Amino acid sequence: VSAFGALMGVVSVVLSANGSIWTFVFGLVDVLIYSYILYDSKLPSQLLLYVGYFIPMEFIGFFQWRKRGADAKKKVQARRMDGRKWLMFAGIFAGVFAAALAISWFATTRTGGEIIWSRTILDALITTANITALIMMAMAYTEQWYVWTLVNLAAIIQWSVTLASVPDAGYAIVPLVKYSFYLLNSINAIRIWMRLSAPGAADCQ
């Protein structure tokens, strides 16, 4: 099941990199399966992110892309952020990061667990970057791919640490391989979306 979810995720990010609205269909399957993996791995803030945010955002993103001209055949009309939008998203990032740290701390201490700050901060960073990047994605901003690159690098570190330090953590191999591919895809997507968001790009589709 984990491998199938990873496959759906790979298909989804490739479609997203190419501006295809089908990314949200395959992405929904991926986030449902990955939610279970996070539950089993005891990563509370990321689990909350996927169940309460990622799943609804798959539907929101689908309809937002439809508004920007995407359909079964046409690519989304991508755009770029100005200085005001950068400041807005920087504020969102800072606020969500603080909230994610607080949620992780509360969830861990509430269940009698021990706070491991390095893991908690990394978990909150991934949570925050995911939230910020997904908003950018729904709004079809090219700059989302810089944030997705950050997400993928942090996730690779997280699952590598899990694989090296947790007994019987063989399940971590699948997400580790998946996020390694995601990293390569996000770097390639920067190039593609710079072209999609160029002036007159919509007329060339």
Side-chain angles (χ1 to χ4, degrees):
V1 173
S2 177
F4 178 74
L7 176 61
M8 294 298 97
V10 167
V11 174
S12 175
V13 298
V14 170
L15 290 170
S16 179
N18 286 278
S20 171
I21 199 169
W22 286 101
T23 181
F24 298 105
V25 177
F26 290 92
L28 180 61
V29 178
D30 176 41
V31 297
L32 287 171
I33 293 174
Y34 196 61
S35 295
Y36 174 77
I37 294 175
L38 292 171
Y39 171 79
D40 190 55
S41 302
K42 297 179 176 59
L43 294 171
S45 67
Q46 284 192 68
L47 176 61
L48 180 63
L49 165 72
Y50 271 73
V51 173
Y53 181 73
F54 258 42
I55 293 174
M57 282 298 288
E58 294 296 331
F59 296 96
I60 293 172
F62 180 88
F63 290 110
Q64 286 295 318
W65 279 30
R66 283 290 299 272
K67 290 180 180 179
R68 294 200 58 78
D71 57 26
K73 295 182 179 179
K74 292 182 64 177
K75 296 180 179 180
V76 68
Q77 296 173 18
R79 52 185 171 174
R80 299 180 189 177
M81 290 166 49
D82 56 21
R84 186 171 60 87
K85 290 294 191 303
W86 273 110
L87 287 175
M88 181 185 75
F89 277 103
I92 292 173
F93 192 96
V96 173
F97 182 68
L101 278 178
I103 291 170
S104 291
W105 176 84
F106 178 80
T108 303
T109 55
R110 186 77 173 178
T111 57
E114 179 185 357
I115 293 288
I116 302 174
W117 282 110
S118 59
R119 185 176 183 183
T120 300
I121 291 173
L122 184 59
D123 181 33
L125 178 63
I126 294 173
T127 300
T128 304
N130 269 296
I131 289 174
T132 306
L134 196 53
I135 296 173
M136 290 180 174
M137 178 182 177
M139 298 174 71
Y141 284 123
T142 298
E143 291 80 3
Q144 63 169 296
W145 292 106
Y146 299 117
V147 185
W148 285 126
T149 299
L150 173 63
V151 170
N152 298 329
L153 285 170
I156 289 171
I157 294 171
Q158 181 184 64
W159 289 112
S160 296
V161 171
T162 299
L163 187 63
S165 60
V166 178
D168 301 320
Y171 61 85
I173 295 176
V174 172
L176 179 59
V177 172
K178 181 178 76 171
Y179 277 103
S180 296
F181 175 82
Y182 283 7
L183 176 61
L184 297 176
N185 183 74
S186 63
I187 294 172
N188 183 52
I190 294 172
R191 176 185 62 84
I192 296 174
W193 276 63
M194 289 296 287
R195 186 174 70 247
L196 288 176
S197 61
D203 299 331
C204 299
Q205 292 187 27

